[in-house]
Amino acid sequence: QRDFDFHIGSWKTHLRRLQKPLTGSTTWVEYDGTTEVRKIWNGAANLVELDVSGPAGRIEGLNLRLYNPESRQWSLNFASRRGGTMTPPTIGEFKNGRGEFYSQEELDGRAIFVRFVISDITPNSCHFEQAFSSDGGRTWEVNWIATDTRVSP
């Protein structure tokens, strides 16, 4: 069994997104929709399709999760329909029922760190949280909170 096997299937997704990360903004927008997760390569990878809508519009995202058996780590590779390209991979692993993944990206022309955490994993729900840091990881600002509730396996 692989770390992401818990997430295979159809999910109802509730998402909160900070509208303007790392600007001092406290304006959050909410979305509801679905997440479909398919196992590929016998569990060594999976494909996630996110489709949520709310007052701020629609987010259609694709996440290709790839497992590296040598490092025992996953790379999470995200693309939005609007952007049309993959973000740099967020890489990490699961320990004690919690997944932590990190990357370095660019936001508005400056280098930032990205942390993505998967927690509160049960057979029928899980919690996702993304945070950005512009000070080398000393402080983090959460900007994406999602809760998935299982619809079907």
Side-chain angles (χ1 to χ4, degrees):
Q1 181 171 339
R2 304 265 187 210
D3 298 315
F4 276 111
D5 282 354
F6 76 90
H7 203 220
I8 304 303
S10 297
W11 300 81
K12 180 176 73 169
T13 300
H14 178 75
L15 170 65
R16 294 180 62 225
R17 182 179 63 82
L18 186 60
Q19 212 161 20
K20 295 178 183 173
L22 299 179
T23 65
S25 171
T26 58
T27 303
W28 288 81
V29 292
E30 297 197 28
Y31 303 83
D32 286 293
T34 60
T35 299
E36 298 289 333
V37 185
R38 288 186 268 311
K39 184 188 304 191
I40 52 179
W41 292 347
N42 198 30
N46 61 61
L47 188 62
V48 180
E49 290 181 79
L50 170 72
D51 188 352
V52 293
S53 298
R58 183 176 184 190
I59 299 173
E60 291 178 276
L62 186 70
N63 194 333
L64 177 62
R65 300 168 175 163
L66 302 167
Y67 184 70
N68 180 329
E70 287 184 27
S71 67
R72 297 184 180 171
Q73 293 182 313
W74 287 88
S75 67
L76 312 182
N77 305 274
F78 183 80
S80 72
R81 180 181 285 264
R82 185 174 24 172
T85 61
M86 294 289 217
T87 61
T90 307
I91 298 173
E93 62 194 310
F94 285 87
K95 288 184 180 173
N96 302 316
R98 174 184 167 97
E100 286 195 25
F101 308 86
Y102 294 89
S103 69
Q104 185 172 348
E105 297 182 21
E106 194 173 285
L107 179 68
D108 298 328
R110 62 183 168 162
I112 63 166
F113 286 134
V114 177
R115 178 183 68 202
F116 190 73
V117 175
I118 303 170
S119 62
D120 300 329
I121 299 167
T122 74
N124 294 310
S125 64
C126 52
H127 180 83
F128 302 91
E129 195 169 283
Q130 178 180 269
F132 291 165
S133 174
S134 60
D135 61 10
R138 286 188 297 280
T139 62
W140 293 92
E141 179 185 76
V142 174
N143 59 64
W144 176 285
I145 300 169
T147 301
D148 279 3
T149 305
R150 184 176 299 282
V151 174
S152 66

